[in-house]
Amino acid sequence: DAGVIQSPRHEVTEMGQEVTLRCKPISGHDYLFWYRQTMMRGLELLIYFNNNVPIDDSGMPEDRFSAKMPNASFSTLKIQPSEPRDSAVYFCASKGNNQPQHFGDGTRLSIL
Amino acid sequence: QQQVKQSPQSLIVQKGGISIINCAYENTAFDYFPWYQQFPGKGPALLIAIRPDVSEKKEGRFTISFNKSAKQFSLHIMDSQPGDSATYFCAASKGSNYQLIWGAGTKLIIKP
């Protein structure tokens, strides 16, 4: 079992640039979650999908953030334009029906 | 009413001692209470979970105690070891297929 795979592991970019984070969930899992973790705000749920359909995006901070899940094995979180306050660790997690969430190792994003 | 309040924020325990982390919730509709463990550079991983039909669940050195009337639950780590040093998150949800409401996390340090 490969687990949830996130890429890149680290991303450093300048303010104003577009950032795309990628996630490959565990095969067979039908829920996918995007989280953001910071020291100040802890672990925040941004959006989650069920069967590739966005169910709740109320945690997405602004229109600069967007997430897609074009198929069951891939999801992206995009920030455009990026700002320094977007610097955080972004986690993707997936789960099967009545199963716990399994997290990837995260993408550490730094916006200069 | 959606909050889960976790305490303490940080905890230092001597090797061999008992570590206790507490969480409180308000929404009586919550019926799934997991604890996650996170090591630096890694995503959170499920440690142990409980449903409100039992007052205690034990897995090895880890025990969840649940008090439904007080709307509180706690994690006890017996014979704490340096390898237990991590950040611990409690969470709650209405059923295991709903989004988790997360506590703020507790950074646990076990001193050798």
Side-chain angles (χ1 to χ4, degrees):
Chain A
D1 187 352
V4 176
I5 299 173
Q6 292 187 244
S7 64
R9 288 298 316 275
H10 300 91
E11 176 87 12
V12 180
T13 191
E14 293 189 345
M15 183 176 72
Q17 296 298 305
E18 178 178 290
V19 173
T20 299
L21 311 181
R22 296 173 175 80
C23 175
K24 177 178 169 56
I26 293 172
S27 177
H29 283 188
D30 49 9
Y31 289 84
L32 185 138
F33 305 80
W34 282 102
Y35 290 92
R36 178 172 68 177
Q37 186 175 40
T38 61
M39 289 294 292
M40 290 297 295
R41 300 175 68 92
L43 196 59
E44 300 175 276
L45 176 65
L46 300 178
I47 185 171
Y48 79 97
F49 297 82
N50 180 215
N51 292 321
N52 313 337
V53 176
I55 302 301
D56 186 349
D57 66 354
S58 60
M60 296 285 263
E62 302 171 28
D63 291 345
R64 298 184 297 106
F65 286 68
S66 63
K68 293 182 180 179
M69 192 165 185
N71 56 62
S73 58
F74 183 66
S75 178
T76 59
L77 178 67
K78 191 170 292 187
I79 309 172
Q80 167 63 20
S82 58
E83 297 183 3
R85 60 192 168 120
D86 302 330
S87 298
V89 180
Y90 290 81
F91 288 103
C92 175
S94 71
K95 71 183 286 295
N97 195 32
N98 291 321
Q99 296 295 313
Q101 293 184 28
H102 293 259
F103 282 74
D105 285 340
T107 295
R108 182 172 294 275
L109 177 64
S110 297
I111 309 297
L112 306 177
Chain B
Q1 199 177 17
Q2 282 289 85
Q3 280 188 318
V4 174
K5 295 183 179 179
Q6 182 173 347
S7 63
Q9 190 174 12
S10 62
L11 181 62
I12 300 174
V13 175
Q14 289 292 130
K15 179 182 175 182
I18 302 173
S19 304
I20 302 174
I21 304 170
N22 300 298
C23 284
Y25 64 98
E26 295 180 359
N27 189 340
T28 55
F30 289 153
D31 64 355
Y32 175 66
F33 303 91
W35 285 89
Y36 278 75
Q37 179 187 55
Q38 183 181 27
F39 293 106
K42 296 291 187 180
L46 178 69
L47 186 63
I48 186 172
I50 196 169
R51 295 193 182 274
D53 52 343
V54 296
S55 60
E56 186 175 282
K57 183 174 182 180
K58 185 176 181 178
E59 290 184 3
R61 296 183 294 107
F62 300 90
T63 299
I64 299 180
S65 297
F66 185 82
N67 186 329
K68 189 173 181 178
S69 61
K71 293 185 284 186
Q72 295 176 347
F73 59 109
S74 60
L75 177 69
H76 296 236
I77 306 175
M78 311 298 288
D79 187 26
S80 299
Q81 299 297 312
D84 297 331
S85 297
T87 299
Y88 292 80
F89 293 92
C90 65
S93 70
K94 293 180 286 186
S96 59
N97 281 342
Y98 288 85
Q99 66 181 82
L100 290 171
I101 307 301
W102 294 83
T106 296
K107 185 172 183 178
L108 174 64
I109 297 172
I110 307 301
K111 284 198 163 184

